[in-house]
Amino acid sequence: MIIGNLVAGAASLVALLAASDAVRAQSAAPASTVTLDEVVIEGEPATEAEARRRLAATAGGTAVIDASQNIGKANVSIADTLNGVPGVVAVPFLGGNDQPKIHIRGSGLQSNPTERGLLMLQDGLPINRADGSYIVGLIDARQADVIEVFRGYTANRLGAQTLGGAINFISPTGSRAPGVEVGVEGGSFGHLVATARAGARQGDADIFGQISTSRRDGYRDWNDSERTAAAVNAGAKLSDNVSTRLFFGYTDLAFEVPGPLSRQLYELDPRQAAPGAIPGVNAGPNVLRDRPRRDTEQVRLGSRTTGTFGANTLDLAIGYAWTDDSFRFPIGTGYRDTTGGDTTVSLRYAYQPDTGAALPLFEATALYVVGASERNYFINDRSAKGALFGANDLDADTLSLNAGFNIPLAPTLTVSPAVTYAHASRDSTDTYAAARRPRLAYNGTSWLTPTVAATDTSFSRSYDAVSPSLGLTYQLAPNSLVFTALSRSFEAPTFDDLLEASGGGVNASPTGFLTPDLKAETATTLEAGWRGTAGRLGWDVVAYYSWLDNELIRTTDGNVAATINATDTTHFGVELGGTLKLTDRLSARLAYTYQDFRFDRDPLYGDNRIAGAPRHFIVAALRYAVTAPWWIEAEVQWTLDDVPVDNANTLYSDAFAVVNVRTNWAATPSFDIYGEVRNLFDADYIGATLTLGRAANAYQAAFLPGDGRAFYAGTKVRF
């Protein structure tokens, strides 16, 4: 198999990169110079410190996470990595290996699973497909050196325009991470991870490669998962002014979906897979029969070339991704196979006459993503791929143009006006040739195979928007900054919103498709914040209020999903992060997110809370350094109140708290041993839920149990 050979080649490359010399740091971040003999900050940050400096000067919610913040953590997932950032809510969802539900400021909150609402980037190139959707499990947080989080409009300069913003996973490079590192860890529920990475530099060129493979049996029945991810990047200095970097990435992802349970079944046995309809006990899919799972392969290629000419920086990035995605849903939706490619072109210009300034005086970016795919729908015939009942060619493109200034009005006062233009198209061509669609249905005693007339599912949708923003920052003191900003955001629907299998049920395949003529979601957001440090204390607090028009609300009954536009909604939130060094050995950190997302005089839901958003979400930790190389940390993840499962606010999941304890011992500068106990007190809790319009009954299957107590241990060795 070609892909298998690519993985083997990547693994061999990692092994061959052992010979390397220590060098100074450089970056694979968007628009960074990749100069190898010295670090020159011309546009984007070249180190974690420079990233923090730039983002700290931005009038909006931002954060930087570096790889050291994952030291000592076992079973590192995207959720573990991002939950320390206030405003980011990431909770376990499908129950597989690293399949969380992520949202920022409620953007994409109701996706089942998470697949829109954020721009996900790898080295500045989108992981999202051209229609805006993404597969969260394709991201391996272990492979990132630095992660940049841009909440809200601050991501516009990267090509995002959604209410939520963007997350950029920046890879290590051969100059920044020379040498070889290998690691292995294992633990409860069949958890096993192996990693290898190596970097080297030769003259004006460097190369870095890494590979990770993981598998897990899972806490619940029908919960196996596995992932292999390999990546290589190579950089070179072409002249005194021009440098370039090439990227390759491959991910093979597979996981089983144990499905939602009713409250009664969850309380009886949270580890069971969804058993199907049981009168008066459970109303939901039959996982034991239909065996839902997802298998995805993706290959990514890209390049980034940067030219620096005095105060001017020009950056060009080109990327291509091929994705083969097979999602076996329960019978109510069936098999959905999607195969296709997406091409990205990103261009950025920055003018920075003051090289000591954290932000350029002027910046303009363009991001264009175009893609085409084939999507085929098959009946799920008791877990076997049955008859074809739908086929479409899907074509999409998304263009984002952004230009803005950072004008110093005084040494401590900066005004940042900007404007973004967006265009998006979504075209579907129905290629299903038959006049009727096959069906499969169980009437309680036997399986029936009726047919229904096939209606055309072709459509052409186009969306445009102009989104201005205005930010203002004031430096209260050298390490204290306040800001305020007013901005607009825009998000076009994805194909998963625009083309929905419909008419199915727990024992019946779909009767056809919905092709709703959805509008784009827009919002106006006012935010203000204060960040800084004083002695042993660091803080970052942001409050925002968003007025949304046509919010994309996606709900499900556990078998089929549908997306609508809500006329008016509001999102209010507070994002509070803090660090405190209590003593020389004892330190604390806090990430607190408050959310109040509501409909506004909606004809169906009045002023109800929007389903799926915890009002209070806390991640807090205390760390004690026993000795210089050995520390112990206790962490609590706490949802303080009940969370509505449906928009009608008739069904709720319970508040919960989970305590984790971890430790890391740097036995030598090149050898670490670590261990962790997750859910120390073995609490039964509902980690996430489906989002419903209105729960049909009290035994609606909507609850997704979190993992029980788990033990993990691992080691890393560097050469």
Side-chain angles (χ1 to χ4, degrees), residues 347-384:
L347 183 65
R348 174 183 177 271
Y349 167 76
Y351 176 63
Q352 189 166 351
D354 181 1
T355 57
L359 303 173
L361 179 63
F362 174 75
E363 184 175 32
T365 58
L367 178 69
Y368 181 63
V369 186
V370 59
S373 60
E374 297 180 358
R375 177 167 289 181
N376 295 314
Y377 295 85
F378 301 87
I379 292 173
N380 183 340
D381 186 355
R382 289 154 285 186
S383 79

Side-chain angles (χ1 to χ4, degrees), residues 60 63 97 109 137 222 261 295 328 353 403 421 436 465-466 476 525 530 541 570 578 583 597 706:
N97 183 1
L109 166 67
W222 191 251
L261 301 175
D295 295 90
R328 183 202 300 164
Y421 169 74
R436 299 187 67 82
V466 175
L476 293 172
T525 299
W530 181 25
V541 58
T570 58
T583 69
F597 306 153

Side-chain angles (χ1 to χ4, degrees), residues 326-632:
S326 178
F327 204 149
R328 183 202 300 164
F329 292 88
I331 187 175
T333 298
Y335 275 79
R336 189 187 73 191
D337 290 349
T338 309
T339 304
D342 299 90
T343 300
T344 298
V345 178
S346 173
L347 183 65
R348 174 183 177 271
Y349 167 76
Y351 176 63
Q352 189 166 351
D354 181 1
T355 57
L359 303 173
L361 179 63
F362 174 75
E363 184 175 32
T365 58
L367 178 69
Y368 181 63
V369 186
V370 59
S373 60
E374 297 180 358
R375 177 167 289 181
N376 295 314
Y377 295 85
F378 301 87
I379 292 173
N380 183 340
D381 186 355
R382 289 154 285 186
S383 79
K385 183 178 286 188
L388 178 74
F389 71 88
N392 298 78
D393 287 342
L394 306 176
D395 298 280
D397 68 352
T398 300
L399 171 67
S400 177
L401 304 174
N402 176 261
F405 291 88
N406 298 289
I407 305 170
L409 300 180
T412 57
L413 181 65
T414 300
V415 62
S416 301
V419 64
T420 301
Y421 169 74
H423 170 79
S425 67
R426 310 285 186 257
D427 298 322
S428 168
T429 302
D430 192 332
T431 59
Y432 183 73
R436 299 187 67 82
R437 301 187 193 277
R439 291 197 67 218
L440 184 66
Y442 183 67
N443 66 3
T445 58
S446 60
W447 288 92
L448 309 177
T449 55
T451 62
V452 294
T455 57
D456 187 16
T457 59
S458 299
F459 57 80
S460 181
R461 309 272 193 262
S462 182
Y463 307 91
D464 295 90
V466 175
S467 303
S469 63
L470 180 64
L472 187 69
T473 61
Y474 181 74
Q475 196 81 40
L476 293 172
N479 295 313
S480 178
L481 179 138
V482 294
F483 64 83
T484 186
L486 181 65
S487 62
R488 290 277 293 172
S489 62
F490 162 87
E491 182 178 6
T494 69
F495 282 122
D496 294 335
D497 300 310
L498 295 168
L499 183 63
E500 307 263 15
S502 65
V506 67
N507 290 315
S509 66
T511 58
F513 294 89
L514 298 174
T515 55
D517 189 6
L518 297 172
K519 299 177 181 178
E521 173 183 305
T522 59
T524 300
T525 299
L526 177 64
E527 59 188 292
W530 181 25
R531 64 173 67 100
T533 59
R536 294 173 177 261
L537 175 67
W539 67 91
D540 186 351
V541 58
V542 181
Y544 67 89
Y545 198 97
S546 298
W547 296 264
L548 283 78
D549 294 320
N550 301 308
E551 180 171 359
L552 294 164
I553 298 291
R554 184 174 174 84
T555 59
T556 181
D557 63 1
N559 297 293
V560 294
T563 305
I564 63 170
N565 287 121
T567 304
D568 296 305
T569 54
T570 58
H571 291 202
F572 169 64
V574 177
E575 304 160 344
L576 171 63
T579 59
L580 177 61
K581 193 167 185 179
L582 298 164
T583 69
D584 290 341
R585 293 191 176 191
L586 183 64
S587 60
R589 59 180 170 85
L590 168 72
Y592 167 70
T593 301
Y594 174 80
Q595 305 173 126
D596 188 17
F597 306 153
R598 292 185 178 274
F599 295 94
D600 186 4
R601 294 173 292 181
D602 187 85
L604 289 176
Y605 306 122
D607 295 331
N608 286 355
R609 290 172 61 188
I610 297 173
R615 189 178 268 135
H616 306 273
F617 184 75
I618 293 176
V619 178
L622 276 174
R623 176 177 293 191
Y624 181 71
V626 182
T627 63
W630 177 31
W631 55 259
I632 300 173

Side-chain angles (χ1 to χ4, degrees), residues 250-261:
Y250 168 75
T251 305
D252 185 4
L253 171 71
F255 60 91
E256 299 166 348
V257 182
L261 301 175

Side-chain angles (χ1 to χ4, degrees), residues 17-108:
L17 290 176
S20 62
D21 298 322
V23 294
R24 298 183 66 181
Q26 57 122 9
S27 175
S32 60
T33 57
V34 287
T35 321
L36 298 175
D37 53 351
E38 60 177 337
V39 179
V40 182
I41 310 303
E42 301 289 357
E44 287 289 334
T47 66
E48 183 233 341
E50 288 297 330
R52 292 187 186 280
R53 178 170 175 258
R54 171 163 191 160
L55 270 62
T58 300
T62 62
V64 176
I65 307 165
D66 74 286
S68 67
Q69 291 171 251
N70 282 329
I71 292 175
K73 292 182 179 180
N75 190 21
V76 174
S77 68
I78 303 171
D80 296 322
T81 304
L82 296 177
N83 271 339
V85 177
V88 181
V89 177
V91 294
F93 188 65
L94 291 179
N97 183 1
D98 215 0
Q99 306 301 317
K101 188 171 186 176
I102 302 174
H103 76 86
I104 297 176
R105 300 184 176 181
S107 186

Side-chain angles (χ1 to χ4, degrees), residues 74-304:
N75 190 21
V76 174
S77 68
I78 303 171
D80 296 322
T81 304
L82 296 177
N83 271 339
V85 177
V88 181
V89 177
V91 294
F93 188 65
L94 291 179
N97 183 1
D98 215 0
Q99 306 301 317
K101 188 171 186 176
I102 302 174
H103 76 86
I104 297 176
R105 300 184 176 181
S107 186
L109 166 67
Q110 295 206 329
S111 296
N112 293 295
T114 299
E115 57 191 6
R116 65 164 182 82
L118 297 172
L119 178 63
M120 292 290 195
L121 302 156
Q122 183 80 49
D123 301 310
L125 290 169
I127 293 172
N128 301 59
R129 305 207 62 190
D131 71 334
S133 64
Y134 65 91
I135 302 170
V136 67
L138 292 175
I139 304 164
D140 188 346
R142 299 180 191 89
Q143 293 194 342
D145 188 40
V146 175
I147 301 172
E148 299 173 319
V149 180
F150 301 84
R151 305 194 298 276
Y153 88 101
T154 62
N156 288 6
R157 55 176 296 276
L158 298 180
Q161 296 189 49
T162 66
L163 175 66
I167 302 174
N168 184 28
F169 297 82
I170 302 173
S171 301
T173 65
S175 291
R176 183 161 178 159
V180 176
E181 179 184 280
V182 295
V184 62
E185 70 180 42
S188 301
F189 317 131
H191 173 77
L192 182 64
V193 176
T195 61
R197 57 196 302 181
R201 170 190 169 185
Q202 182 68 42
D204 283 341
D206 78 291
I207 189 169
F208 184 89
Q210 56 183 326
I211 186 168
S212 66
T213 181
S214 61
R215 68 170 309 278
R216 193 170 186 266
D217 296 336
Y219 174 66
R220 299 175 62 193
D221 296 333
W222 191 251
N223 201 185
D224 288 4
S225 57
E226 57 186 31
R227 179 176 60 194
T228 297
V232 177
N233 71 77
K237 181 180 178 181
L238 304 181
S239 71
D240 290 341
N241 305 104
V242 180
S243 51
T244 192
R245 185 163 297 278
L246 305 176
F247 304 93
F248 165 80
Y250 168 75
T251 305
D252 185 4
L253 171 71
F255 60 91
E256 299 166 348
V257 182
L261 301 175
S262 67
R263 186 181 296 277
Q264 293 94 319
L265 287 184
Y266 156 73
E267 292 174 350
L268 179 66
D269 180 9
R271 303 190 67 162
Q272 65 182 302
I278 303 173
V281 176
N282 189 67
N286 190 330
V287 165
L288 301 178
R289 180 194 66 206
D290 298 337
R291 297 181 179 270
R293 62 173 288 137
R294 192 168 200 171
D295 295 90
T296 305
E297 283 187 292
Q298 186 179 78
V299 178
R300 300 181 301 276
L301 301 171
S303 70
R304 180 175 296 281

